[in-house]
Amino acid sequence: MQLTSPRLRAALLAAASLSLVAAVLPPPKALGIGDRLFPELGNPGYDVLSYDLSFTYKDNRTPLDAVTVIDARTTGPLDTVNLDFAHGTVSSAEVNGEPARFASAGEDLVLTPARPLIAGSPLHITIRHTSDPRGRGDGGWVPTGDGLAMANQADAAHRVFPCNDHPADKAYFTFRITAPQGLTAVANGIPGALPAPRAAAATTWTYRTLHPMATELAQVSIGASTVVHGTGPHGLPLRDVVPTADREKLDPWLKKTAGHIAWMEERVGRYPFENYGVLIARATTGFELETQTLSLFESGLFTGQGYPEWYVESVMVHELAHQWFGDSVTPRTWSDLWLNEGHATWYEALYADGLGAYSLERRMREAYQRSDQWRAAGGPPAAPKAAAPGEKIGLFRPVVYDGAALILYALRQEIGAEAFDRVERRWVSEHRDSTAGTEDFVRLASQEAGRDLTAFLRPWLYAATTPAMPGHPEWSRAAAPAPKSAGKRA
């Protein structure tokens, strides 16, 4: 049959051309930036500048309607754009204002723009999708007694929203959360516009960060909550989020935060963000989490039986210390996790020592006795073994907590307290709002010590066995019972 309509012929030729293009494109595949512990996390070819996340919450049984808007800049030519995303359904995608094809590959969402992208060009992505709170126990949304909270560490932000889910790519965030009447929504950063009433008695809450943030530190809380406002050192706004029913019971704990911040500032300098507070959730997670400006705590830590006051306070200081170590100064790779947890554990232990509850030297001596066992089980602090499949928080073993704090104790023993304090202050000052890694720390410590510390620190960081402790020849790595828990403590 001969085609006689020029318009029909042109349409069919155009359709045939698109089919041919689709036929020659390779199938989508998952990519990553090659992190030793999470090789398929993160994506090459672009740098995210900001996320604008919109969520509409109904209840814990219904996927949230969501829109993720990403502004980025390409760092190389791209025919496709990979994002990490694994626990929702995508309905549409646009790249630079034009519809883009999308497909899943592993835990990646692969977008094919209408035209290839050149290096150094703006990249504006809009994705309409769902975000499923019916979790599989591997992070992301955490159901609470009255709503949801978020726990994305280490690799679970992409189970909530499409993103470049690696701490090496920090960005600014805006959150827009719509929730039914009677619920309060809170997120990282400061409130934007006043809460806006919507149809069916729903309200939209807006927040934005004033500093860049890693995806694993994002926090959204939705629940029957009360927001408690206060003032910290030098006028710092404090904002705590607690279950309304527990407001009075938790108040004595909330009043401790200003003093904790002042204590940390005496040791490492000014608090690095726009505000701070604790988010206390009616949930059982097995951990506390340093989500940026709004640390997540289980309510049982404060209301349960059996936790002495000094212990609870030291855990609060642990998460606060992370605001400097891990949040403001973010690890370049997940192998640099010891810099987060080792420092937070160090200040936790130092605070408990100051309370006269558990001396720093005793804790470090006991850690030293167990250190070889921890290294055998989890690898050395700066080269930890990967978590077993299906064990989301398996990376958070004792070797990156007390085992890493032991490195800091050894460093202070080697270079003296004054030089060590200079190292700590310089570290959080010079790398503020940025990423840094183990070699950066070794270099900075060497500068403050006035000599190359590589030969001293390398065995502490990477050896299978623990070196001799400076100043304590009597300390031994005697056999000790292996710790029962390898989960993230705080």
Side-chain angles (χ1 to χ4, degrees), residues 4-178:
T4 57
S5 165
R7 182 174 297 177
L8 176 60
R9 185 184 302 117
L12 290 173
L13 286 172
S17 298
L18 287 173
S19 298
L20 288 171
V21 170
V24 299
L25 284 175
K29 63 178 182 179
L31 299 176
I33 60 172
D35 189 285
R36 187 181 69 85
L37 297 172
F38 297 99
E40 291 191 351
L41 277 191
N43 294 283
Y46 61 92
D47 173 32
V48 177
L49 305 176
S50 68
Y51 294 93
D52 191 314
L53 308 177
S54 298
F55 298 106
T56 299
Y57 172 82
K58 299 179 181 67
D59 55 58
N60 284 10
R61 302 176 303 279
T62 307
L64 289 77
D65 293 326
V67 181
T68 294
V69 179
I70 299 172
D71 280 297
R73 182 164 291 276
T74 61
T75 58
L78 292 173
D79 293 321
T80 59
V81 179
N82 278 52
L83 295 164
D84 301 302
F85 186 53
H87 205 182
T89 301
V90 176
S91 59
S92 69
E94 294 180 359
V95 174
N96 291 340
E98 297 183 285
R101 291 200 303 275
F102 55 90
S104 294
E107 294 200 345
D108 275 17
L109 172 65
V110 184
L111 308 182
T112 303
R115 50 185 52 80
L117 304 168
I118 63 172
S121 62
L123 177 57
H124 183 79
I125 299 170
T126 301
I127 301 167
R128 299 181 184 279
H129 61 96
T130 61
S131 183
D132 201 333
R134 298 168 298 183
R136 300 169 295 182
D138 53 3
W141 290 116
V142 174
T144 67
D146 53 4
L148 294 174
M150 214 181 272
N152 295 332
Q153 198 176 73
D155 63 334
H158 68 281
R159 297 185 180 96
V160 177
F161 58 96
C163 57
N164 201 27
D165 197 8
H166 193 279
D169 193 2
K170 298 170 70 167
Y172 293 87
F173 279 72
T174 298
F175 301 89
R176 307 171 200 275
I177 310 118
T178 301

Side-chain angles (χ1 to χ4, degrees), residues 35 63 101 166 187 189 249 285 297 309 372 377 395 467:
D35 189 285
R101 291 200 303 275
H166 193 279
K249 185 189 306 183
T285 60
F297 293 87
E309 184 171 331
D372 279 1
L395 179 62

